[in-house]
Each structure stands twice: as structure tokens, then as C-alpha cells.
Coordinates of all heavy atoms in Angstrom, one line a residue:
I876 N 138.1 94.2 -7.2 CA 138.1 93.0 -8.1 C 139.6 92.7 -8.3 O 140.4 93.5 -8.7 CB 137.5 93.3 -9.4 CG1 136.0 93.7 -9.2 CG2 137.6 92.2 -10.4 CD1 135.3 94.1 -10.5
D877 N 139.9 91.4 -8.1 CA 141.3 90.9 -8.3 C 141.4 90.7 -9.8 O 140.6 90.2 -10.5 CB 141.5 89.6 -7.6 CG 141.5 89.8 -6.1 OD1 141.8 90.9 -5.6 OD2 141.1 88.9 -5.4
Y878 N 142.6 91.1 -10.3 CA 142.8 91.0 -11.7 C 142.8 89.6 -12.2 O 142.5 89.3 -13.4 CB 144.1 91.7 -12.1 CG 145.4 91.0 -11.7 CD1 146.0 90.0 -12.5 CD2 145.9 91.2 -10.5 CE1 147.1 89.3 -12.1 CE2 147.1 90.5 -10.0 CZ 147.6 89.6 -10.9 OH 148.7 88.9 -10.4
D879 N 143.1 88.6 -11.4 CA 143.1 87.2 -11.8 C 141.8 86.6 -11.8 O 141.6 85.5 -12.3 CB 144.1 86.4 -11.0 CG 143.8 86.4 -9.5 OD1 143.0 87.3 -9.1 OD2 144.3 85.5 -8.8
R880 N 140.7 87.3 -11.3 CA 139.4 86.8 -11.3 C 138.5 87.4 -12.5 O 137.4 87.0 -12.7 CB 138.7 87.2 -10.0 CG 139.2 86.4 -8.8 CD 138.4 86.7 -7.6 NE 138.9 85.8 -6.5 CZ 138.2 85.7 -5.4 NH1 137.1 86.4 -5.3 NH2 138.7 84.9 -4.5
V881 N 139.1 88.3 -13.2 CA 138.3 88.9 -14.3 C 138.5 88.1 -15.6 O 139.7 87.8 -15.9 CB 138.8 90.4 -14.5 CG1 138.1 91.0 -15.7 CG2 138.5 91.2 -13.2
Q882 N 137.4 87.8 -16.2 CA 137.5 87.2 -17.5 C 136.7 88.1 -18.5 O 135.6 88.6 -18.2 CB 136.9 85.8 -17.5 CG 137.6 84.8 -16.7 CD 136.9 83.5 -16.7 OE1 135.9 83.3 -17.3 NE2 137.5 82.5 -16.1
C883 N 137.2 88.2 -19.7 CA 136.5 88.9 -20.7 C 136.8 88.3 -22.1 O 137.8 87.7 -22.3 CB 136.8 90.4 -20.7 SG 138.5 90.9 -21.0
A884 N 135.8 88.5 -22.9 CA 136.0 88.0 -24.3 C 135.3 89.0 -25.2 O 134.4 89.8 -24.8 CB 135.3 86.6 -24.4
H885 N 135.7 89.0 -26.5 CA 135.1 89.8 -27.5 C 135.3 89.1 -28.8 O 136.0 88.2 -29.0 CB 135.7 91.2 -27.5 CG 137.1 91.2 -28.0 ND1 138.2 90.9 -27.2 CD2 137.7 91.5 -29.2 CE1 139.3 91.0 -27.9 NE2 139.0 91.4 -29.1
G886 N 134.5 89.6 -29.7 CA 134.6 89.1 -31.1 C 134.4 90.2 -32.1 O 134.0 91.3 -31.7
V887 N 134.8 89.9 -33.3 CA 134.7 90.9 -34.3 C 134.2 90.2 -35.6 O 134.6 89.1 -35.8 CB 136.0 91.7 -34.5 CG1 137.1 90.8 -35.0 CG2 135.8 92.9 -35.4
T888 N 133.5 90.9 -36.4 CA 133.1 90.4 -37.7 C 133.6 91.3 -38.8 O 133.3 92.5 -38.7 CB 131.6 90.2 -37.8 OG1 131.1 89.4 -36.8 CG2 131.2 89.7 -39.1
L889 N 134.3 90.8 -39.7 CA 134.8 91.6 -40.8 C 134.5 90.8 -42.1 O 134.4 89.6 -42.1 CB 136.3 91.8 -40.8 CG 136.9 92.5 -39.6 CD1 138.4 92.5 -39.6 CD2 136.4 93.9 -39.6
G890 N 134.2 91.6 -43.1 CA 134.0 90.9 -44.4 C 133.4 91.9 -45.4 O 133.2 93.1 -45.1
Q891 N 133.1 91.4 -46.5 CA 132.5 92.2 -47.6 C 131.0 92.1 -47.6 O 130.4 91.1 -47.0 CB 133.0 91.7 -48.9 CG 134.6 91.7 -49.1 CD 135.1 93.1 -49.1 OE1 134.5 94.0 -49.8 NE2 136.2 93.3 -48.4
I892 N 130.4 93.1 -48.1 CA 128.9 93.1 -48.3 C 128.6 92.0 -49.3 O 129.3 91.8 -50.3 CB 128.4 94.4 -48.7 CG1 128.6 95.4 -47.6 CG2 127.0 94.4 -49.1 CD1 128.1 96.8 -47.9
D893 N 127.6 91.3 -49.0 CA 127.1 90.2 -49.9 C 126.8 90.8 -51.3 O 125.8 91.5 -51.4 CB 125.9 89.5 -49.3 CG 125.4 88.3 -50.1 OD1 125.9 88.1 -51.2 OD2 124.5 87.6 -49.6
H894 N 127.6 90.5 -52.3 CA 127.4 91.0 -53.6 C 126.1 90.6 -54.2 O 125.4 91.4 -54.9 CB 128.6 90.6 -54.5 CG 128.5 91.1 -55.9 ND1 128.7 92.4 -56.2 CD2 128.2 90.4 -57.1 CE1 128.5 92.6 -57.5 NE2 128.2 91.4 -58.1
N895 N 125.7 89.3 -54.0 CA 124.4 88.9 -54.5 C 123.2 89.6 -53.9 O 122.3 90.0 -54.6 CB 124.2 87.4 -54.2 CG 125.2 86.5 -55.0 OD1 125.6 86.9 -56.1 ND2 125.5 85.4 -54.5
A896 N 123.2 89.9 -52.6 CA 122.2 90.7 -52.0 C 122.2 92.1 -52.5 O 121.1 92.7 -52.7 CB 122.4 90.7 -50.4
L897 N 123.3 92.7 -52.7 CA 123.4 94.0 -53.2 C 122.9 94.1 -54.6 O 122.1 95.0 -55.0 CB 124.9 94.5 -53.2 CG 125.2 96.0 -53.4 CD1 124.5 96.8 -52.4 CD2 126.7 96.2 -53.4
C898 N 123.2 93.1 -55.5 CA 122.7 93.1 -56.9 C 121.2 92.9 -56.9 O 120.5 93.5 -57.7 CB 123.4 92.0 -57.6 SG 125.1 92.4 -58.1
Y899 N 120.7 92.0 -56.0 CA 119.3 91.7 -55.9 C 118.5 93.0 -55.6 O 117.5 93.4 -56.2 CB 119.0 90.7 -54.9 CG 117.5 90.4 -54.7 CD1 116.8 89.7 -55.6 CD2 116.8 91.0 -53.6 CE1 115.4 89.5 -55.4 CE2 115.5 90.8 -53.5 CZ 114.8 90.1 -54.4 OH 113.4 89.9 -54.2
M900 N 119.0 93.7 -54.6 CA 118.3 95.0 -54.2 C 118.4 96.0 -55.3 O 117.4 96.7 -55.5 CB 119.0 95.5 -52.9 CG 118.7 94.6 -51.7 SD 119.6 95.1 -50.2 CE 118.5 96.4 -49.6
Q901 N 119.5 96.1 -56.0 CA 119.6 97.0 -57.1 C 118.6 96.6 -58.3 O 118.1 97.4 -59.0 CB 121.0 97.1 -57.6 CG 121.9 97.8 -56.7 CD 123.4 97.8 -57.1 OE1 123.8 97.0 -58.0 NE2 124.2 98.6 -56.5
S902 N 118.4 95.3 -58.5 CA 117.5 94.8 -59.5 C 116.1 95.2 -59.2 O 115.2 95.2 -60.0 CB 117.7 93.3 -59.7 OG 117.1 92.6 -58.7
R903 N 115.8 95.5 -57.9 CA 114.5 95.9 -57.5 C 114.3 97.4 -57.4 O 113.4 97.9 -56.9 CB 114.2 95.3 -56.1 CG 114.2 93.8 -56.0 CD 113.1 93.3 -56.9 NE 113.0 91.8 -56.9 CZ 113.3 91.0 -57.9 NH1 113.7 91.5 -59.0 NH2 113.1 89.7 -57.8
G904 N 115.3 98.1 -58.0 CA 115.2 99.6 -58.2 C 115.9 100.4 -57.1 O 115.8 101.6 -57.2
L905 N 116.6 99.8 -56.2 CA 117.4 100.6 -55.2 C 118.7 101.1 -55.8 O 119.3 100.3 -56.5 CB 117.6 99.8 -53.9 CG 116.3 99.4 -53.2 CD1 116.7 98.6 -52.0 CD2 115.6 100.7 -52.7
S906 N 119.1 102.2 -55.5 CA 120.4 102.7 -55.9 C 121.5 101.9 -55.1 O 121.2 101.4 -54.0 CB 120.6 104.2 -55.6 OG 120.7 104.5 -54.2
P907 N 122.7 101.9 -55.6 CA 123.8 101.1 -54.9 C 124.0 101.7 -53.5 O 124.2 100.9 -52.5 CB 125.0 101.4 -55.8 CG 124.5 101.6 -57.1 CD 123.2 102.3 -56.9
S908 N 123.9 103.0 -53.3 CA 124.2 103.6 -52.0 C 123.1 103.2 -51.0 O 123.3 102.9 -49.8 CB 124.4 105.1 -52.1 OG 123.3 105.7 -52.6
V909 N 121.8 103.3 -51.5 CA 120.7 102.9 -50.6 C 120.7 101.4 -50.2 O 120.5 101.0 -49.1 CB 119.4 103.3 -51.2 CG1 118.2 102.7 -50.5 CG2 119.2 104.8 -51.3
A910 N 121.0 100.6 -51.2 CA 121.1 99.1 -51.0 C 122.2 98.8 -50.0 O 122.0 98.1 -49.0 CB 121.3 98.4 -52.3
K911 N 123.3 99.4 -50.1 CA 124.4 99.2 -49.2 C 124.1 99.7 -47.8 O 124.3 99.0 -46.8 CB 125.7 99.9 -49.7 CG 126.9 99.7 -48.8 CD 128.1 100.4 -49.4 CE 129.3 100.3 -48.5 NZ 130.5 100.9 -49.1
K912 N 123.4 100.9 -47.7 CA 123.0 101.4 -46.4 C 122.0 100.5 -45.7 O 122.1 100.2 -44.5 CB 122.4 102.8 -46.6 CG 122.0 103.4 -45.3 CD 121.4 104.8 -45.6 CE 121.0 105.5 -44.3 NZ 120.6 106.9 -44.4
L913 N 121.1 99.9 -46.5 CA 120.1 99.0 -45.9 C 120.7 97.7 -45.4 O 120.3 97.2 -44.3 CB 119.0 98.8 -46.9 CG 118.0 99.9 -47.1 CD1 117.0 99.5 -48.3 CD2 117.2 100.3 -45.9
L914 N 121.6 97.2 -46.2 CA 122.3 96.0 -45.8 C 123.1 96.2 -44.5 O 123.1 95.3 -43.6 CB 123.2 95.5 -46.9 CG 122.5 94.8 -48.1 CD1 123.5 94.6 -49.2 CD2 121.8 93.6 -47.6
L915 N 123.8 97.3 -44.4 CA 124.6 97.6 -43.2 C 123.7 97.8 -42.0 O 124.0 97.4 -40.9 CB 125.5 98.9 -43.4 CG 126.6 98.7 -44.4 CD1 127.3 100.0 -44.7 CD2 127.6 97.7 -43.8
Q916 N 122.6 98.5 -42.2 CA 121.6 98.7 -41.1 C 121.1 97.4 -40.6 O 120.9 97.2 -39.4 CB 120.5 99.7 -41.5 CG 120.9 101.1 -41.6 CD 119.8 102.0 -42.1 OE1 118.7 101.5 -42.5 NE2 120.0 103.3 -42.0
A917 N 120.7 96.5 -41.5 CA 120.2 95.2 -41.1 C 121.2 94.4 -40.4 O 120.9 93.7 -39.4 CB 119.7 94.5 -42.4
F918 N 122.5 94.5 -40.8 CA 123.5 93.8 -40.1 C 123.7 94.3 -38.7 O 123.8 93.5 -37.7 CB 124.8 93.9 -40.9 CG 126.0 93.3 -40.2 CD1 126.2 91.9 -40.3 CD2 126.9 94.0 -39.5 CE1 127.3 91.3 -39.7 CE2 128.0 93.4 -38.8 CZ 128.2 92.1 -38.9
M919 N 123.7 95.6 -38.5 CA 123.8 96.2 -37.2 C 122.6 95.8 -36.3 O 122.8 95.5 -35.1 CB 124.0 97.7 -37.3 CG 125.3 98.1 -37.8 SD 126.7 97.5 -36.9 CE 126.5 98.4 -35.3
R920 N 121.4 95.9 -36.8 CA 120.2 95.7 -36.0 C 120.2 94.2 -35.6 O 119.7 93.9 -34.5 CB 119.0 96.0 -36.8 CG 118.8 97.5 -37.0 CD 117.5 97.8 -37.7 NE 117.5 99.2 -38.2 CZ 117.4 100.3 -37.5 NH1 117.2 100.2 -36.2 NH2 117.4 101.5 -38.0
K921 N 120.7 93.3 -36.5 CA 120.7 91.9 -36.1 C 121.6 91.6 -34.9 O 121.2 90.9 -34.0 CB 121.2 91.0 -37.3 CG 121.2 89.5 -37.0 CD 121.8 88.8 -38.2 CE 123.2 89.1 -38.5 NZ 124.3 88.3 -37.8
D922 N 122.7 92.2 -34.9 CA 123.7 92.0 -33.8 C 123.2 92.8 -32.5 O 123.6 92.4 -31.4 CB 125.1 92.5 -34.2 CG 125.7 91.4 -35.1 OD1 125.2 90.3 -35.3 OD2 126.8 91.8 -35.7
L923 N 122.5 93.9 -32.7 CA 122.1 94.7 -31.6 C 120.7 94.4 -31.1 O 120.2 95.0 -30.2 CB 122.2 96.2 -31.9 CG 123.6 96.7 -32.1 CD1 123.6 98.2 -32.6 CD2 124.5 96.6 -30.9
H924 N 120.1 93.4 -31.7 CA 118.7 93.0 -31.4 C 118.4 92.9 -29.9 O 117.4 93.4 -29.5 CB 118.3 91.8 -32.2 CG 116.9 91.4 -31.9 ND1 115.8 92.1 -32.4 CD2 116.4 90.3 -31.2 CE1 114.7 91.5 -32.0 NE2 115.0 90.4 -31.2
P925 N 119.2 92.2 -29.1 CA 118.9 92.1 -27.7 C 118.8 93.5 -27.0 O 118.1 93.6 -26.0 CB 120.0 91.3 -27.1 CG 120.6 90.6 -28.3 CD 120.4 91.5 -29.5
L926 N 119.6 94.5 -27.5 CA 119.6 95.8 -26.8 C 118.5 96.7 -27.4 O 118.2 97.7 -26.7 CB 121.0 96.4 -27.0 CG 122.1 95.7 -26.5 CD1 123.4 96.4 -26.9 CD2 122.0 95.6 -25.0
L927 N 118.0 96.5 -28.6 CA 117.1 97.4 -29.2 C 115.8 97.5 -28.5 O 115.2 98.6 -28.5 CB 116.8 97.0 -30.7 CG 118.0 97.3 -31.6 CD1 117.6 96.7 -33.0 CD2 118.2 98.8 -31.7
D928 N 115.3 96.5 -27.8 CA 114.0 96.6 -27.1 C 114.1 97.6 -26.0 O 113.2 98.4 -25.8 CB 113.6 95.2 -26.5 CG 113.2 94.2 -27.5 OD1 112.8 94.7 -28.6 OD2 113.3 93.0 -27.2
T929 N 115.3 97.7 -25.3 CA 115.5 98.6 -24.2 C 116.0 99.9 -24.6 O 115.6 101.0 -24.1 CB 116.4 98.0 -23.2 OG1 115.9 96.7 -22.8 CG2 116.6 98.8 -21.9
Y930 N 116.9 100.0 -25.6 CA 117.6 101.2 -25.9 C 117.4 101.7 -27.3 O 118.2 102.4 -27.9 CB 119.1 101.0 -25.7 CG 119.5 100.5 -24.3 CD1 119.9 99.2 -24.1 CD2 119.5 101.5 -23.3 CE1 120.2 98.9 -22.8 CE2 119.8 101.1 -22.0 CZ 120.2 99.8 -21.7 OH 120.5 99.4 -20.5
S931 N 116.2 101.4 -27.9 CA 116.0 101.7 -29.3 C 116.0 103.2 -29.5 O 116.4 103.7 -30.5 CB 114.7 101.1 -29.8 OG 113.6 101.7 -29.0
A932 N 115.5 104.0 -28.5 CA 115.5 105.5 -28.6 C 116.9 106.0 -28.8 O 117.1 107.1 -29.4 CB 114.8 106.1 -27.4
V933 N 117.9 105.4 -28.3 CA 119.3 105.8 -28.4 C 120.0 105.2 -29.6 O 120.7 105.8 -30.4 CB 120.1 105.5 -27.1 CG1 121.6 105.8 -27.3 CG2 119.5 106.2 -25.9
L934 N 119.8 103.9 -29.8 CA 120.5 103.1 -30.8 C 120.0 103.4 -32.2 O 120.8 103.5 -33.1 CB 120.5 101.6 -30.5 CG 121.2 101.2 -29.3 CD1 121.0 99.7 -29.0 CD2 122.7 101.5 -29.4
D935 N 118.7 103.5 -32.4 CA 118.2 103.7 -33.7 C 118.7 105.0 -34.4 O 119.2 104.9 -35.6 CB 116.6 103.8 -33.7 CG 116.0 102.4 -33.7 OD1 116.6 101.4 -34.1 OD2 114.8 102.3 -33.3
P936 N 118.8 106.1 -33.7 CA 119.4 107.3 -34.4 C 120.9 107.1 -34.7 O 121.3 107.6 -35.7 CB 119.2 108.4 -33.4 CG 118.1 108.0 -32.5 CD 118.1 106.5 -32.5
L937 N 121.6 106.4 -33.8 CA 123.0 106.1 -34.1 C 123.2 105.2 -35.3 O 124.0 105.5 -36.2 CB 123.7 105.5 -32.9 CG 123.9 106.4 -31.7 CD1 124.4 105.6 -30.5 CD2 124.8 107.5 -32.0
I938 N 122.4 104.2 -35.4 CA 122.5 103.3 -36.5 C 122.2 104.0 -37.8 O 122.8 103.9 -38.8 CB 121.6 102.1 -36.4 CG1 122.1 101.2 -35.2 CG2 121.5 101.3 -37.7 CD1 121.2 100.1 -34.8
N939 N 121.1 104.8 -37.8 CA 120.7 105.6 -39.0 C 121.7 106.6 -39.4 O 121.8 107.0 -40.5 CB 119.3 106.2 -38.8 CG 118.2 105.1 -38.7 OD1 118.3 104.1 -39.2 ND2 117.2 105.4 -37.9
T940 N 122.4 107.2 -38.4 CA 123.4 108.3 -38.7 C 124.6 107.7 -39.3 O 125.1 108.2 -40.3 CB 123.7 109.0 -37.4 OG1 122.6 109.6 -36.9 CG2 124.8 110.1 -37.7
F941 N 125.1 106.6 -38.8 CA 126.4 106.1 -39.2 C 126.3 105.1 -40.4 O 127.2 104.9 -41.1 CB 127.1 105.4 -38.1 CG 127.6 106.3 -37.0 CD1 126.9 106.4 -35.8 CD2 128.6 107.2 -37.3 CE1 127.4 107.3 -34.8 CE2 129.1 108.1 -36.3 CZ 128.4 108.1 -35.1
F942 N 125.1 104.6 -40.6 CA 124.9 103.6 -41.7 C 123.7 104.1 -42.5 O 122.8 103.6 -42.8 CB 124.7 102.2 -41.2 CG 125.9 101.7 -40.4 CD1 125.9 101.7 -39.0 CD2 127.1 101.4 -41.1 CE1 127.0 101.2 -38.3 CE2 128.2 100.9 -40.4 CZ 128.1 100.9 -39.0

């Protein structure tokens, strides 16, 4: 592969957890740590959705371990 023929791109998302969503979940009886964990897992699953159908056996434990 010639170096001048390779193209790549990437993106990153940074930000704070949605305070309103966190407060809503806490108002429904979830602890702050559980609410935060669920929001982070949902965020990861949304972005990894195309891969989850094929690699869920590998990705689900990783998501649950780190978030």
C-alpha cells in the first residue's frame, strides 16, 4: 500500500453526562453511581450498535466491566 493512497479519519466525543437524565434516573430510585453507569453503558452501546450483532459475546462483557 502506498502511503499517499491511504486515507483515514476518526472522531471523538467528549462531554459531560446529561445532568437532567442523571437527576431523572435518581428521582426514580437509582443511586447516582448506578444511574451514571447505565448512562455510560447506553452511550457505548449506541455507538457500538453496528458491531454488537456480530461481536456481542466479546463487547458486552467489556462494556459491563469498564462502565
Side-chain angles (χ1 to χ4, degrees):
I876 299 175
D877 296 328
Y878 72 90
D879 59 342
R880 291 184 172 193
V881 176
Q882 293 181 357
C883 61
H885 68 281
V887 65
T888 301
L889 298 174
Q891 301 294 317
I892 291 178
D893 183 353
H894 180 70
N895 291 331
L897 194 59
C898 288
Y899 175 80
M900 294 173 80
Q901 289 175 347
S902 75
R903 299 296 182 247
L905 296 174
S906 69
S908 61
V909 169
K911 183 177 178 181
K912 181 177 181 175
L913 288 174
L914 287 171
L915 289 172
Q916 286 178 351
F918 178 78
M919 291 299 298
R920 289 181 197 287
K921 178 183 66 92
D922 286 348
L923 294 175
H924 179 71
L926 300 174
L927 284 175
D928 291 338
T929 305
Y930 301 106
S931 65
V933 174
L934 293 175
D935 278 338
L937 289 173
I938 292 170
N939 293 331
T940 299
F941 291 106
F942 300 102

